[in-house]
Amino acid sequence: MALAKTHQVLWVDPPVPLIGPAAQGRPSIFPGFKVDPIGEGLVRLRVLVPPKFTKPLVRPVASLLLHRAIRRIVDTQPTRPLATILMSPRETFPHGMPGRKVLHVTDDWAAGAELMGLQREKIEGILRANLKRADIVTVVSPHLIGILPRLGTSADPVVLPNGCHVPAGVEPVDETVERTTVGLIGQLNERLDMDLLERLADTGLPIDVIGPRRERNPETTRRLDHFLAAPNVTWTDEIPESDLWGRSLAMAVGITPYADTEFNRASFPLKTLDYLAAGLPVVSTNLPAVRWIGSPLINVGHSAQEFVDLVKRAQSAPLHASERGERQALARRHSWDARAAEMLRLLTASTVKP
């Protein structure tokens, strides 16, 4: 959406199977794809593929249909594409596309293969192929830079993290309102430090959890059930972004309680920046992404006890307008608009591989 403010953007959805639960609203069999306007400068392409398209024998057919549809849409445009930005662990660059090829690595896809229900060996093979073809490689966290060279990239990866949206014209802080809730926003799965969450629940602090459950491990399911059932924990499933903004403004502190895993060390949690965009104090576990931001406005718990102590301190402190403004100013420096500007700078400064 940020890129679409200055350039036409074609967003390509994952393939849509002909039958099955994911086939709702699928494109018609002819021409086999559908283009929908999403917003100013932004359109979405959905491509129809055979069922079970993730299976080895069907996957090449699905990729062929997907790439053919992309080229057909691009061929109808009056201008030459500036770039193809690939952000998927499953897909490869379409052949025959003009412009620069950008591989944007959003996570340690190999380490997170099981979490996403994918095969690690297959994901590593696709990643190696894409690294060889990419003109530009961007990664969302500095930790990924140390991982990609082992997979054969010749390009120097550039850190281009996730961003956030900071709405304009937010109502000023009402300093007479008492805010006591500890907020946790985002998907609930194996990435969370369950020991830490259970310890936090034991303090009796009111905790507002907002986000869908996406766990795969039965043990994680058991522990999430226990945590969410605590009397001081309120859980709301996924809600519209407009409602989420209002809920976040009522919180006292936002938390990023990620476990110390290979996958998390390579990630760049959106929730941390979203809390700052709402002007909230933030308490996070010690992630490379937090160290990369390098701001004292993000409180880092290096141990479980320190994390809980920081949350208690932030939860009991009044939220002043000046402090909220500082946090939102930091968020603006890491906004999606700032990330889009950096991407465009890379595109205009780089050369295409022969």
Side-chain angles (χ1 to χ4, degrees), residues 17-346:
L18 180 63
I19 58 174
Q24 184 177 5
R26 64 175 176 78
S28 59
I29 294 178
F30 182 82
F33 60 86
K34 184 180 181 182
V35 178
D36 300 305
I38 300 297
E40 186 67 27
L42 177 63
V43 295
R44 178 180 68 167
L45 172 64
R46 305 180 76 221
V47 181
L48 191 66
V49 298
K52 300 183 179 180
F53 65 90
T54 59
K55 301 299 182 182
L57 294 179
V58 186
R59 186 69 200 176
V61 176
S63 293
L64 178 65
L65 294 172
L66 186 70
H67 295 174
R68 186 177 66 177
I70 293 171
R71 289 193 297 269
R72 288 181 65 180
I73 298 300
V74 168
D75 289 344
T76 65
Q77 303 304 305
T79 57
R80 182 179 184 272
L82 176 63
T84 298
I85 303 175
L86 179 59
M87 301 186 293
S88 169
R90 303 183 187 210
E91 300 298 334
T92 57
F93 283 106
H95 288 280
M97 290 285 289
R100 290 165 174 79
K101 294 183 288 295
V102 181
L103 178 63
H104 182 57
V105 184
T106 59
D107 284 297
D108 186 346
W109 291 327
E114 183 178 355
L115 184 66
M116 296 182 287
L118 306 173
Q119 294 181 349
R120 178 164 186 150
E121 295 78 11
K122 181 67 174 178
I123 295 305
E124 287 184 343
I126 293 173
L127 182 56
R128 286 192 182 94
N130 287 329
L131 286 169
K132 290 179 180 178
R133 296 187 60 199
D135 301 302
I136 303 169
V137 177
T138 55
V139 296
V140 299
S141 76
H143 187 77
L144 283 167
I145 292 180
I147 295 173
L148 292 182
R150 301 201 305 266
L151 297 176
T153 179
S154 58
D156 292 328
V158 177
V159 178
L160 188 67
N162 291 325
C164 62
H165 174 59
V166 188
V170 177
E171 291 294 323
V173 173
D174 184 351
E175 297 186 11
T176 65
V177 175
E178 185 180 10
R179 294 172 174 81
T180 59
T181 303
V182 177
L184 171 60
I185 298 175
Q187 292 189 16
L188 309 179
N189 55 28
E190 286 75 13
R191 301 184 69 177
L192 299 174
D193 187 330
M194 293 307 305
D195 289 337
L196 193 54
L197 287 178
E198 290 166 358
R199 189 164 182 168
L200 193 60
D202 288 342
T203 65
L205 294 175
I207 304 173
D208 191 9
V209 181
I210 305 173
R213 294 182 61 163
R214 295 288 187 265
E215 76 275 10
R216 292 175 177 271
N217 189 304
E219 178 62 13
T220 304
T221 296
R222 184 190 67 79
R223 299 187 72 177
L224 274 175
D225 287 343
H226 176 75
F227 168 70
L228 296 174
N232 56 316
V233 176
T234 301
W235 173 50
T236 306
D237 207 334
E238 196 167 9
I239 62 176
E241 186 175 352
S242 56
D243 295 340
L244 181 61
W245 179 253
R247 290 275 290 273
S248 66
L249 292 179
M251 295 172 179
V253 56
I255 60 172
T256 306
Y258 276 13
D260 183 18
T261 65
E262 185 180 2
F263 186 73
N264 283 342
R265 286 192 292 273
S267 70
F268 198 97
L270 283 164
K271 56 172 62 67
T272 300
L273 293 179
D274 287 339
Y275 298 143
L276 291 170
L280 294 178
V282 182
V283 179
S284 172
T285 46
N286 186 23
L287 299 170
V290 172
R291 297 196 295 271
W292 183 86
I293 295 175
S295 172
L297 295 176
I298 303 175
N299 301 289
V300 180
H302 295 84
S303 67
Q305 187 59 53
E306 184 180 14
F307 187 96
V308 171
D309 289 344
L310 288 169
V311 172
K312 287 181 178 179
R313 191 180 310 157
Q315 184 265 351
S316 62
L319 181 61
H320 298 297
S322 59
E323 295 171 346
R324 179 178 178 184
E326 290 180 15
R327 297 183 187 106
Q328 290 185 316
L330 174 62
R332 287 189 182 94
R333 294 199 294 273
H334 295 279
S335 68
W336 286 118
D337 287 342
R339 303 299 190 233
E342 175 63 11
M343 175 64 80
L344 291 172
R345 186 194 68 77
L346 292 171

